[in-house]
mmCIF file of all heavy atoms in Angstrom:
data_model
loop_
_atom_site.group_PDB
_atom_site.id
_atom_site.type_symbol
_atom_site.label_atom_id
_atom_site.label_comp_id
_atom_site.label_asym_id
_atom_site.label_seq_id
_atom_site.Cartn_x
_atom_site.Cartn_y
_atom_site.Cartn_z
ATOM 1 N N GLN A 214 -5.412 -121.399 9.858
ATOM 2 C CA GLN A 214 -5.808 -120.243 10.715
ATOM 3 C C GLN A 214 -7.101 -119.742 10.300
ATOM 4 O O GLN A 214 -7.629 -118.735 11.071
ATOM 5 C CB GLN A 214 -4.680 -119.183 10.716
ATOM 6 C CG GLN A 214 -3.333 -119.599 11.110
ATOM 7 C CD GLN A 214 -2.294 -118.528 10.833
ATOM 8 O OE1 GLN A 214 -1.364 -118.810 10.057
ATOM 9 N NE2 GLN A 214 -2.401 -117.359 11.418
ATOM 10 N N LEU A 215 -7.780 -120.168 9.219
ATOM 11 C CA LEU A 215 -8.957 -119.555 8.645
ATOM 12 C C LEU A 215 -10.108 -120.292 8.961
ATOM 13 O O LEU A 215 -10.125 -121.582 8.631
ATOM 14 C CB LEU A 215 -8.755 -119.244 7.111
ATOM 15 C CG LEU A 215 -9.933 -118.759 6.423
ATOM 16 C CD1 LEU A 215 -10.290 -117.388 6.882
ATOM 17 C CD2 LEU A 215 -9.646 -118.800 4.878
ATOM 18 N N TYR A 216 -11.196 -119.806 9.624
ATOM 19 C CA TYR A 216 -12.396 -120.518 9.881
ATOM 20 C C TYR A 216 -13.477 -119.699 9.158
ATOM 21 O O TYR A 216 -14.096 -118.864 9.841
ATOM 22 C CB TYR A 216 -12.615 -120.589 11.395
ATOM 23 C CG TYR A 216 -11.450 -121.168 12.136
ATOM 24 C CD1 TYR A 216 -10.446 -120.326 12.688
ATOM 25 C CD2 TYR A 216 -11.192 -122.582 12.226
ATOM 26 C CE1 TYR A 216 -9.392 -120.876 13.307
ATOM 27 C CE2 TYR A 216 -10.128 -123.130 12.861
ATOM 28 C CZ TYR A 216 -9.242 -122.302 13.394
ATOM 29 O OH TYR A 216 -8.103 -122.813 14.021
ATOM 30 N N ILE A 217 -13.652 -119.884 7.914
ATOM 31 C CA ILE A 217 -14.527 -119.107 7.164
ATOM 32 C C ILE A 217 -15.981 -119.118 7.562
ATOM 33 O O ILE A 217 -16.753 -118.307 7.386
ATOM 34 C CB ILE A 217 -14.260 -119.208 5.694
ATOM 35 C CG1 ILE A 217 -14.825 -117.999 4.935
ATOM 36 C CG2 ILE A 217 -14.845 -120.510 5.107
ATOM 37 C CD1 ILE A 217 -14.303 -117.960 3.449
ATOM 38 N N GLN A 218 -16.448 -120.379 7.854
ATOM 39 C CA GLN A 218 -17.790 -120.589 8.248
ATOM 40 C C GLN A 218 -18.174 -119.798 9.384
ATOM 41 O O GLN A 218 -19.309 -119.292 9.665
ATOM 42 C CB GLN A 218 -18.139 -122.049 8.286
ATOM 43 C CG GLN A 218 -17.948 -122.919 7.034
ATOM 44 C CD GLN A 218 -19.067 -122.387 6.041
ATOM 45 O OE1 GLN A 218 -20.122 -122.031 6.327
ATOM 46 N NE2 GLN A 218 -18.610 -122.413 4.758
ATOM 47 N N GLU A 219 -17.237 -119.839 10.469
ATOM 48 C CA GLU A 219 -17.396 -119.140 11.716
ATOM 49 C C GLU A 219 -17.078 -117.683 11.623
ATOM 50 O O GLU A 219 -17.216 -116.959 12.500
ATOM 51 C CB GLU A 219 -16.499 -119.888 12.774
ATOM 52 C CG GLU A 219 -16.908 -121.176 13.051
ATOM 53 C CD GLU A 219 -16.384 -122.305 12.137
ATOM 54 O OE1 GLU A 219 -15.657 -121.883 11.224
ATOM 55 O OE2 GLU A 219 -16.783 -123.475 12.242
ATOM 56 N N ARG A 220 -16.457 -117.347 10.441
ATOM 57 C CA ARG A 220 -16.023 -115.886 10.314
ATOM 58 C C ARG A 220 -15.043 -115.458 11.401
ATOM 59 O O ARG A 220 -15.220 -114.389 11.947
ATOM 60 C CB ARG A 220 -17.269 -114.920 10.179
ATOM 61 C CG ARG A 220 -17.904 -115.075 8.939
ATOM 62 C CD ARG A 220 -19.212 -114.237 8.744
ATOM 63 N NE ARG A 220 -19.219 -113.020 9.552
ATOM 64 C CZ ARG A 220 -20.346 -112.356 9.811
ATOM 65 N NH1 ARG A 220 -21.536 -112.822 9.481
ATOM 66 N NH2 ARG A 220 -20.356 -111.310 10.566
ATOM 67 N N MET A 221 -14.103 -116.347 11.502
ATOM 68 C CA MET A 221 -12.942 -116.010 12.341
ATOM 69 C C MET A 221 -11.682 -116.382 11.833
ATOM 70 O O MET A 221 -11.547 -117.382 10.929
ATOM 71 C CB MET A 221 -13.179 -116.700 13.816
ATOM 72 C CG MET A 221 -14.303 -116.146 14.499
ATOM 73 S SD MET A 221 -14.508 -117.021 16.181
ATOM 74 C CE MET A 221 -15.746 -116.068 16.931
ATOM 75 N N ILE A 222 -10.521 -115.817 12.372
ATOM 76 C CA ILE A 222 -9.243 -116.135 11.995
ATOM 77 C C ILE A 222 -8.421 -116.279 13.353
ATOM 78 O O ILE A 222 -8.640 -115.652 14.269
ATOM 79 C CB ILE A 222 -8.435 -115.373 11.008
ATOM 80 C CG1 ILE A 222 -8.443 -113.862 11.560
ATOM 81 C CG2 ILE A 222 -9.100 -115.352 9.665
ATOM 82 C CD1 ILE A 222 -7.725 -112.910 10.631
ATOM 83 N N ARG A 223 -7.369 -117.151 13.283
ATOM 84 C CA ARG A 223 -6.421 -117.282 14.336
ATOM 85 C C ARG A 223 -5.143 -116.586 13.879
ATOM 86 O O ARG A 223 -4.499 -117.002 12.962
ATOM 87 C CB ARG A 223 -6.205 -118.773 14.676
ATOM 88 C CG ARG A 223 -5.245 -119.011 15.792
ATOM 89 C CD ARG A 223 -5.216 -120.496 16.213
ATOM 90 N NE ARG A 223 -5.006 -121.360 15.058
ATOM 91 C CZ ARG A 223 -3.696 -121.685 14.653
ATOM 92 N NH1 ARG A 223 -2.612 -121.181 15.281
ATOM 93 N NH2 ARG A 223 -3.561 -122.484 13.584
ATOM 94 N N VAL A 224 -4.884 -115.439 14.537
ATOM 95 C CA VAL A 224 -3.805 -114.632 14.102
ATOM 96 C C VAL A 224 -2.577 -114.962 14.968
ATOM 97 O O VAL A 224 -2.719 -115.083 16.291
ATOM 98 C CB VAL A 224 -4.147 -113.161 14.284
ATOM 99 C CG1 VAL A 224 -2.996 -112.361 13.728
ATOM 100 C CG2 VAL A 224 -5.470 -112.792 13.514
ATOM 101 N N ILE A 225 -1.463 -115.168 14.349
ATOM 102 C CA ILE A 225 -0.112 -115.289 15.124
ATOM 103 C C ILE A 225 0.569 -114.031 14.941
ATOM 104 O O ILE A 225 1.060 -113.666 13.852
ATOM 105 C CB ILE A 225 0.712 -116.426 14.433
ATOM 106 C CG1 ILE A 225 -0.186 -117.734 14.482
ATOM 107 C CG2 ILE A 225 2.074 -116.625 15.247
ATOM 108 C CD1 ILE A 225 0.486 -118.919 13.817
ATOM 109 N N GLY A 226 0.536 -113.264 16.065
ATOM 110 C CA GLY A 226 1.219 -111.960 16.059
ATOM 111 C C GLY A 226 2.593 -111.842 16.563
ATOM 112 O O GLY A 226 3.418 -112.783 16.314
ATOM 113 N N LYS A 227 2.988 -110.720 17.074
ATOM 114 C CA LYS A 227 4.381 -110.525 17.552
ATOM 115 C C LYS A 227 4.672 -111.579 18.757
ATOM 116 O O LYS A 227 3.821 -111.831 19.511
ATOM 117 C CB LYS A 227 4.489 -109.027 18.075
ATOM 118 C CG LYS A 227 4.575 -108.083 17.032
ATOM 119 C CD LYS A 227 4.702 -106.628 17.468
ATOM 120 C CE LYS A 227 4.743 -105.572 16.464
ATOM 121 N NZ LYS A 227 4.987 -104.225 16.968
ATOM 122 N N ARG A 228 5.963 -111.985 18.662
ATOM 123 C CA ARG A 228 6.375 -112.757 19.733
ATOM 124 C C ARG A 228 5.482 -114.146 19.788
ATOM 125 O O ARG A 228 5.315 -114.714 20.793
ATOM 126 C CB ARG A 228 6.494 -112.196 21.177
ATOM 127 C CG ARG A 228 7.504 -111.123 21.234
ATOM 128 C CD ARG A 228 7.545 -110.475 22.531
ATOM 129 N NE ARG A 228 6.249 -109.710 22.699
ATOM 130 C CZ ARG A 228 6.168 -108.452 22.298
ATOM 131 N NH1 ARG A 228 6.986 -107.813 21.552
ATOM 132 N NH2 ARG A 228 4.945 -107.811 22.551
ATOM 133 N N LYS A 229 5.024 -114.607 18.539
ATOM 134 C CA LYS A 229 4.253 -115.708 18.462
ATOM 135 C C LYS A 229 2.856 -115.679 19.327
ATOM 136 O O LYS A 229 2.390 -116.825 19.636
ATOM 137 C CB LYS A 229 5.072 -116.998 18.836
ATOM 138 C CG LYS A 229 6.279 -117.161 17.958
ATOM 139 C CD LYS A 229 5.969 -117.216 16.444
ATOM 140 C CE LYS A 229 7.238 -117.449 15.654
ATOM 141 N NZ LYS A 229 6.995 -117.530 14.192
ATOM 142 N N LYS A 230 2.495 -114.593 19.671
ATOM 143 C CA LYS A 230 1.259 -114.476 20.457
ATOM 144 C C LYS A 230 0.004 -114.739 19.623
ATOM 145 O O LYS A 230 -0.108 -113.966 18.555
ATOM 146 C CB LYS A 230 1.171 -113.162 21.150
ATOM 147 C CG LYS A 230 -0.040 -113.009 22.100
ATOM 148 C CD LYS A 230 -0.035 -111.566 22.681
ATOM 149 C CE LYS A 230 -1.259 -111.372 23.552
ATOM 150 N NZ LYS A 230 -1.329 -109.960 24.206
ATOM 151 N N GLU A 231 -0.789 -115.514 19.976
ATOM 152 C CA GLU A 231 -2.011 -115.942 19.167
ATOM 153 C C GLU A 231 -3.248 -115.193 19.773
ATOM 154 O O GLU A 231 -3.422 -114.962 20.891
ATOM 155 C CB GLU A 231 -2.298 -117.458 19.195
ATOM 156 C CG GLU A 231 -1.250 -118.124 18.520
ATOM 157 C CD GLU A 231 -1.627 -119.573 18.318
ATOM 158 O OE1 GLU A 231 -2.697 -119.989 18.642
ATOM 159 O OE2 GLU A 231 -0.769 -120.389 17.853
ATOM 160 N N ARG A 232 -4.169 -114.851 18.881
ATOM 161 C CA ARG A 232 -5.499 -114.369 19.256
ATOM 162 C C ARG A 232 -6.481 -114.684 18.051
ATOM 163 O O ARG A 232 -6.118 -115.040 17.084
ATOM 164 C CB ARG A 232 -5.319 -112.801 19.235
ATOM 165 C CG ARG A 232 -5.071 -112.003 17.942
ATOM 166 C CD ARG A 232 -4.746 -110.550 18.093
ATOM 167 N NE ARG A 232 -4.809 -109.748 16.839
ATOM 168 C CZ ARG A 232 -3.697 -109.620 16.172
ATOM 169 N NH1 ARG A 232 -2.571 -110.346 16.386
ATOM 170 N NH2 ARG A 232 -3.816 -108.943 15.001
ATOM 171 N N ILE A 233 -7.734 -114.741 18.606
ATOM 172 C CA ILE A 233 -8.856 -115.101 17.675
ATOM 173 C C ILE A 233 -9.605 -113.726 17.340
ATOM 174 O O ILE A 233 -9.960 -113.034 18.197
ATOM 175 C CB ILE A 233 -9.738 -116.063 18.254
ATOM 176 C CG1 ILE A 233 -9.095 -117.400 18.734
ATOM 177 C CG2 ILE A 233 -11.047 -116.321 17.391
ATOM 178 C CD1 ILE A 233 -8.609 -118.072 17.405
ATOM 179 N N VAL A 234 -9.711 -113.564 16.041
ATOM 180 C CA VAL A 234 -10.387 -112.296 15.684
ATOM 181 C C VAL A 234 -11.483 -112.552 14.711
ATOM 182 O O VAL A 234 -11.352 -113.238 13.643
ATOM 183 C CB VAL A 234 -9.331 -111.273 14.927
ATOM 184 C CG1 VAL A 234 -10.028 -109.964 14.653
ATOM 185 C CG2 VAL A 234 -8.187 -111.073 15.856
ATOM 186 N N PRO A 235 -12.757 -112.069 14.979
ATOM 187 C CA PRO A 235 -13.766 -112.385 14.045
ATOM 188 C C PRO A 235 -13.661 -111.285 12.819
ATOM 189 O O PRO A 235 -13.064 -110.336 12.946
ATOM 190 C CB PRO A 235 -15.034 -111.974 14.822
ATOM 191 C CG PRO A 235 -14.564 -110.997 15.865
ATOM 192 C CD PRO A 235 -13.198 -111.324 16.218
ATOM 193 N N PHE A 236 -14.357 -111.682 11.747
ATOM 194 C CA PHE A 236 -14.397 -110.720 10.582
ATOM 195 C C PHE A 236 -15.774 -110.520 10.110
ATOM 196 O O PHE A 236 -16.641 -111.411 10.324
ATOM 197 C CB PHE A 236 -13.392 -111.046 9.382
ATOM 198 C CG PHE A 236 -13.578 -112.474 8.945
ATOM 199 C CD1 PHE A 236 -14.466 -112.828 7.894
ATOM 200 C CD2 PHE A 236 -12.822 -113.380 9.449
ATOM 201 C CE1 PHE A 236 -14.697 -114.115 7.436
ATOM 202 C CE2 PHE A 236 -12.760 -114.781 8.919
ATOM 203 C CZ PHE A 236 -13.711 -115.086 7.944
ATOM 204 N N GLY A 237 -16.088 -109.475 9.359
ATOM 205 C CA GLY A 237 -17.391 -109.194 8.942
ATOM 206 C C GLY A 237 -17.881 -109.813 7.726
ATOM 207 O O GLY A 237 -17.183 -110.625 7.078
ATOM 208 N N GLU A 238 -19.250 -109.553 7.386
ATOM 209 C CA GLU A 238 -19.864 -110.303 6.383
ATOM 210 C C GLU A 238 -19.214 -109.935 5.027
ATOM 211 O O GLU A 238 -19.148 -110.771 4.083
ATOM 212 C CB GLU A 238 -21.404 -109.956 6.279
ATOM 213 C CG GLU A 238 -22.196 -110.440 7.419
ATOM 214 C CD GLU A 238 -23.647 -109.921 7.438
ATOM 215 O OE1 GLU A 238 -24.016 -109.445 6.358
ATOM 216 O OE2 GLU A 238 -24.337 -110.200 8.358
ATOM 217 N N GLU A 239 -18.807 -108.689 4.818
ATOM 218 C CA GLU A 239 -18.180 -108.204 3.507
ATOM 219 C C GLU A 239 -16.940 -108.996 3.319
ATOM 220 O O GLU A 239 -16.611 -109.447 2.244
ATOM 221 C CB GLU A 239 -18.027 -106.724 3.527
ATOM 222 C CG GLU A 239 -17.487 -106.120 2.212
ATOM 223 C CD GLU A 239 -18.532 -106.334 0.981
ATOM 224 O OE1 GLU A 239 -19.777 -106.585 1.224
ATOM 225 O OE2 GLU A 239 -18.134 -106.351 -0.145
ATOM 226 N N ALA A 240 -16.170 -109.022 4.297
ATOM 227 C CA ALA A 240 -14.782 -109.768 4.232
ATOM 228 C C ALA A 240 -15.081 -111.260 3.973
ATOM 229 O O ALA A 240 -14.426 -111.888 3.134
ATOM 230 C CB ALA A 240 -14.099 -109.706 5.544
ATOM 231 N N ALA A 241 -16.131 -111.853 4.538
ATOM 232 C CA ALA A 241 -16.469 -113.407 4.293
ATOM 233 C C ALA A 241 -16.813 -113.493 2.936
ATOM 234 O O ALA A 241 -16.395 -114.448 2.153
ATOM 235 C CB ALA A 241 -17.531 -113.729 5.277
ATOM 236 N N LYS A 242 -17.546 -112.494 2.347
ATOM 237 C CA LYS A 242 -18.036 -112.779 1.014
ATOM 238 C C LYS A 242 -16.920 -112.562 -0.029
ATOM 239 O O LYS A 242 -16.797 -113.371 -0.889
ATOM 240 C CB LYS A 242 -19.148 -111.578 0.720
ATOM 241 C CG LYS A 242 -19.400 -111.274 -0.812
ATOM 242 C CD LYS A 242 -20.291 -110.050 -0.991
ATOM 243 C CE LYS A 242 -20.479 -109.734 -2.384
ATOM 244 N NZ LYS A 242 -21.328 -108.485 -2.543
ATOM 245 N N ARG A 243 -16.096 -111.599 0.340
ATOM 246 C CA ARG A 243 -14.881 -111.403 -0.686
ATOM 247 C C ARG A 243 -13.956 -112.584 -0.606
ATOM 248 O O ARG A 243 -13.185 -113.033 -1.578
ATOM 249 C CB ARG A 243 -14.254 -110.085 -0.313
ATOM 250 C CG ARG A 243 -15.083 -108.782 -0.560
ATOM 251 C CD ARG A 243 -15.471 -108.755 -1.987
ATOM 252 N NE ARG A 243 -16.359 -107.488 -2.244
ATOM 253 C CZ ARG A 243 -16.776 -107.197 -3.375
ATOM 254 N NH1 ARG A 243 -16.304 -107.672 -4.561
ATOM 255 N NH2 ARG A 243 -17.669 -106.110 -3.482
#
């Protein structure tokens, strides 16, 4: 679910609903 180069994650939420969420530079660094 982790696409660190693209700075995105594929989240599996409630009722197995999926969404793509980007994350910031600081999160990528850490």
